[in-house]
Amino acid sequence: MAPAETSQSSSREPATSTPHAPHPAGAALVVGALGVVFGDIGTSPLYALRETFLHGSGMAPTPEHVLGVLSMLFWAVTLTVTIKYVVLIMRADNKGEGGVLALATLATRGLSGKARKTRRAILVLAVIGLALFYGDAMITPAVSVMSAVEGLSAAEPALTPFVLPLSLIILIGLFVLQARGTADVGRLFGPVMLVWFVVLGVLGAWQIAKNPSVLEAINPIHAYYLVTDQGFGIFWAFGSIVLAVTGAEALYADMGHFGRKPIRIGWVGLVMPGLLLNYFGQGALIIANPEVVRQVFFELVPKDYIIVLVILSTLAAVIASQAVITGVFSLTRQAIQLGYLPRMEIHHTSDTAIGQIYIPRVNWLLMSCVVALVVGFGSSGALAGAYGLAVTGAMLVDAALAMAVAILVWRWSWPLAAAVFGFLAIPDLAFFIANALKIPDGGWLPMIVAALIYFTIMTWRRGRRLVATELSEGSLPLKQFLERMERAPDRVAGTAVFLTADAGHTPAAFLHNLKHNKVLHERIIILQVDTMDVPVVSEANRVEVERLGKGFHTVIAHYGFTEQPDIPEALRACRPHGIAYDEMETSFFLGRETLVPSQHSRLGRWRRDWFISLSHSASATKTFFRIPPNRAIELGNQIQI
């Protein structure tokens, strides 16, 4: 992968960028948000309360224990999801976009240019959050779909052997269909989830009506009684209670698709009531009949209706999985644009929606991981041991970055920011410690995945800087080159475009072409692709053009981190600046660096070899930047790394 041809991350906010238009909070947007934003947290009732009593906690499902667990669950949802994410963190949007990368970008924007250590700390936190997201993303589809399909065992125990193969068929089919896009099916996601949350609330209210005393769990004194009763053993319960808030970060990460107001309306008006009613209904049912705890969710309905609930649950689980997969694609593209990962082939599956993308390499890798998890763990209960550690780690990262935003951007005082976000981080820290106890039961898996991704991202960034430094050492400022060019070489008709990381210096491909061919085109364009720290750059401000004389021009094409660079389109945008783009008269010269391992690499042996492997796996420049392959000319260069 050639650094001279890669879009560069910019820490500045261009005056030319424009923020997203505010989202209207219409009913259609609220329903649409139900199908994308709340899928993960919306399927938690399938397993969260069940696992609290079954997965290693050792707690008997007595009325006192049930009330204590419900009290903890209620306040976890209220503090972590409602107060922390919906009320506070969703205020921190980067031109309408959310997510850990947007949060980190917003925090660094409030720093002065000299605050290098703070900037690096924020970068490290962002990379950790990104890595933990990937560690969590491969578990969510597996545990959601398996939990839903396991309802077949409640309907008919003889169907238990079919749970695993049916789960695999559903998941594999979901990944296979990704290449076709989700625009058509996606229209059904919102209405299905609307029905799902209504059903959750109705089923829970039905059981609460039979035992209204379960509502006493709203009083936090019951949580206190449970802690004093269990002592340090309460951490085993924490490790499962956290399953009720998994997906909270998705509310913030998907904010750019719908805006904060529809998400807030959907959460407060339907999702939160539906979830809490269902959890309390499950609790009421367990108090009445403790034997149902193993399949308590599906015991909420008469046995004749379990199959209907299994079908609806499976649809909700598939939608939750689709939301996670879409989120992985979206965040991967952002990471590529910001220079965190090597270029990959990206397909756009919709002509109208910029967020509808498909990344084949990520899709098949994620599918392989999900299939391996389903086969290796065999049940959603076993997978619950692996679930939670990455989520709680990501929540702690969000809290730290949000505190930085509060201090640097919102101008809160240090004591106020530390008090507010420190208090809200207490449940996250308790959940994280609790989930660390599950490391022997599978919690090691997402952490290993996160560690590998962190290592990959940091290796890629470090290697890219070293290669860029190597290239810049032999380059000459472009204006200085033009001043020294006393006798112009022979000029040939047409336009030559040279991609570079820095439009102010002569690209290596340009010097190689001049050295070997000894000719220049009539018009030379030195083109730099600049990825900004905003989601979208308006078309009116897409390019900056400067005439340098002697037929030379510099063009800087600006793209947001959610946009896909398109070099021919950028050149067409230069027409108002006096550059008429004709594809048949234009040649694109691309540098192609061959990395040679050095015996004394500053990366070290392991990181050096991994960086070279990543570079070889990167998508071709002409493909990523949509350059016509029959108009591209590659010029090679060897660099020791």
Side-chain angles (χ1 to χ4, degrees), residues 3-270:
E5 300 151 3
T6 307
S7 55
Q8 301 296 302
S9 175
S10 173
S11 61
R12 59 187 172 87
E13 180 183 1
T16 55
S17 66
T18 57
H20 283 332
H23 293 276
L29 277 177
V30 175
V31 174
L34 294 177
V36 175
V37 176
F38 302 107
D40 190 357
I41 198 170
T43 52
S44 296
L46 290 169
Y47 46 79
L49 195 60
R50 176 195 73 190
E51 293 303 316
T52 303
F53 289 101
L54 297 182
H55 195 80
S57 67
M59 284 194 306
T62 63
E64 294 78 13
H65 289 165
V66 171
L67 290 177
V69 169
L70 288 176
S71 184
M72 286 185 173
L73 192 150
F74 173 83
W75 287 106
V77 170
T78 301
L79 293 175
T80 300
V81 185
T82 306
I83 304 299
K84 178 184 169 185
Y85 278 97
V86 175
V87 174
L88 288 176
I89 293 185
M90 285 184 67
R91 290 182 58 206
D93 67 291
N94 181 18
K95 306 299 182 184
E97 288 290 327
V100 66
L101 295 181
L103 195 60
T105 299
L106 198 62
T108 55
R109 193 177 297 162
L111 290 171
S112 64
K114 297 180 180 179
R116 288 187 176 181
K117 290 185 178 179
T118 305
R119 190 180 301 276
R120 177 165 179 78
I122 290 173
L123 168 65
V124 170
L125 280 175
V127 174
I128 291 174
L130 180 62
L132 289 170
F133 171 80
Y134 283 112
D136 171 54
M138 67 180 191
I139 302 177
T140 299
V143 72
S144 298
V145 171
M146 288 194 75
S147 296
V149 178
E150 283 169 352
L152 292 174
S153 300
E156 180 55 62
L159 296 175
T160 301
F162 297 97
V163 169
L164 184 63
L166 184 57
S167 298
L168 285 173
I169 290 172
I170 292 171
L171 287 166
I172 292 174
L174 179 63
F175 283 101
V176 169
L177 291 174
Q178 292 303 307
R180 297 192 175 189
T182 58
D184 294 334
V185 181
R187 296 187 183 96
L188 300 175
F189 285 0
V192 170
M193 293 306 290
L194 175 62
V195 173
W196 170 250
F197 287 116
V198 170
V199 169
L200 287 182
V202 169
L203 293 179
W206 181 29
Q207 296 296 331
I208 292 172
K210 298 178 182 178
N211 185 8
S213 63
V214 75
L215 294 175
E216 295 176 10
I218 295 175
N219 189 338
I221 193 66
H222 292 284
Y224 172 76
Y225 289 154
L226 184 64
V227 172
T228 56
D229 176 68
Q230 296 292 306
F232 285 107
I234 195 63
F235 281 101
W236 290 107
F238 281 166
S240 297
I241 290 173
V242 71
L243 298 175
V245 297
T246 56
E249 69 279 6
L251 276 67
Y252 175 61
D254 291 325
M255 185 167 58
H257 295 291
F258 302 97
R260 68 167 66 91
K261 194 170 183 181
I263 293 175
R264 285 173 170 171
I265 291 174
W267 172 254
V268 175
L270 178 63

Side-chain angles (χ1 to χ4, degrees), residues 516-536:
H516 293 289
N517 296 325
K518 297 181 174 56
V519 295
L520 292 176
H521 286 69
E522 288 179 339
R523 182 164 56 191
I524 307 292
I525 296 177
I526 310 299
L527 193 148
Q528 173 186 338
V529 177
D530 193 12
T531 300
M532 313 305 296
D533 61 3
V534 293
V536 178

Side-chain angles (χ1 to χ4, degrees), residues 72 321 328 363 426 498 590:
M72 286 185 173
S321 302
V328 170
N363 185 68
I426 291 174
F498 295 88
L590 315 174

Side-chain angles (χ1 to χ4, degrees), residues 524-568:
I524 307 292
I525 296 177
I526 310 299
L527 193 148
Q528 173 186 338
V529 177
D530 193 12
T531 300
M532 313 305 296
D533 61 3
V534 293
V536 178
V537 174
S538 68
E539 290 301 323
N541 302 307
R542 178 69 66 199
V543 295
E544 294 180 38
V545 179
E546 183 180 1
R547 292 177 177 270
L548 303 177
K550 300 181 181 180
F552 281 75
H553 304 73
T554 59
V555 175
I556 301 179
H558 299 292
Y559 288 92
F561 57 75
T562 64
E563 297 181 285
Q564 178 68 29
D566 187 326
I567 296 304

Side-chain angles (χ1 to χ4, degrees), residues 161-508:
F162 297 97
V163 169
L164 184 63
L166 184 57
S167 298
L168 285 173
I169 290 172
I170 292 171
L171 287 166
I172 292 174
L174 179 63
F175 283 101
V176 169
L177 291 174
Q178 292 303 307
R180 297 192 175 189
T182 58
D184 294 334
V185 181
R187 296 187 183 96
L188 300 175
F189 285 0
V192 170
M193 293 306 290
L194 175 62
V195 173
W196 170 250
F197 287 116
V198 170
V199 169
L200 287 182
V202 169
L203 293 179
W206 181 29
Q207 296 296 331
I208 292 172
K210 298 178 182 178
N211 185 8
S213 63
V214 75
L215 294 175
E216 295 176 10
I218 295 175
N219 189 338
I221 193 66
H222 292 284
Y224 172 76
Y225 289 154
L226 184 64
V227 172
T228 56
D229 176 68
Q230 296 292 306
F232 285 107
I234 195 63
F235 281 101
W236 290 107
F238 281 166
S240 297
I241 290 173
V242 71
L243 298 175
V245 297
T246 56
E249 69 279 6
L251 276 67
Y252 175 61
D254 291 325
M255 185 167 58
H257 295 291
F258 302 97
R260 68 167 66 91
K261 194 170 183 181
I263 293 175
R264 285 173 170 171
I265 291 174
W267 172 254
V268 175
L270 178 63
V271 179
M272 183 181 179
L275 292 175
L276 291 178
L277 283 171
N278 195 265
Y279 284 127
F280 276 70
Q282 290 184 41
L285 185 59
I286 294 173
I287 291 174
N289 183 10
E291 298 298 323
V292 303
V293 70
R294 290 191 173 276
Q295 286 290 359
V296 60
F297 177 79
F298 293 100
E299 294 288 348
L300 291 173
V301 297
K303 192 168 185 179
D304 292 342
Y305 295 94
I306 289 180
I307 291 296
V308 177
L309 190 57
V310 168
I311 294 172
L312 181 59
S313 302
T314 303
L315 287 175
V318 168
I319 292 170
S321 302
Q322 178 60 60
V324 170
I325 296 169
T326 301
V328 170
F329 291 161
S330 178
L331 206 58
T332 299
R333 178 175 64 178
Q334 292 183 31
I336 293 170
Q337 296 293 74
L338 293 171
Y340 288 1
L341 292 172
R343 293 190 306 258
M344 300 180 198
E345 183 181 0
I346 299 176
H347 297 168
H348 290 260
T349 58
S350 172
D351 295 330
T352 57
I354 189 172
Q356 292 288 329
I357 60 173
Y358 166 65
I359 306 178
R361 188 185 306 177
V362 172
N363 185 68
W364 302 125
L365 181 61
L366 187 59
M367 187 192 79
S368 301
C369 292
V370 170
V371 169
L373 283 174
V374 172
V375 174
F377 284 84
S379 71
S380 64
L383 269 171
Y387 205 26
L389 196 56
V391 175
T392 52
M395 288 179 176
L396 284 172
V397 169
D398 286 345
L401 290 175
M403 186 173 72
V405 170
I407 295 168
L408 298 170
V409 181
W410 300 341
R411 302 302 179 187
W412 287 14
S413 65
W414 273 94
L416 177 61
V420 172
F421 288 100
F423 173 74
L424 293 174
I426 291 174
D428 297 343
L429 185 60
F431 290 146
F432 184 80
I433 295 172
N435 278 277
L437 299 175
K438 299 196 296 185
I439 288 178
D441 296 328
W444 53 269
L445 181 64
M447 300 311 292
I448 287 179
V449 171
L452 288 173
I453 292 172
Y454 179 85
F455 176 76
T456 297
I457 292 174
M458 299 307 286
T459 297
W460 180 251
R461 288 181 61 85
R462 173 66 174 158
R464 294 279 291 109
R465 283 198 299 268
L466 291 176
V467 173
T469 300
E470 184 73 21
L471 286 172
S472 64
E473 288 177 353
S475 65
L476 185 69
L478 185 57
K479 292 184 179 179
Q480 187 177 343
F481 170 82
L482 291 175
E483 291 172 359
R484 294 182 179 181
M485 194 176 72
E486 298 177 357
R487 186 179 66 84
D490 294 337
R491 310 296 284 247
V492 296
T495 300
V497 178
F498 295 88
L499 266 68
T500 180
D502 183 1
H505 287 74
T506 51

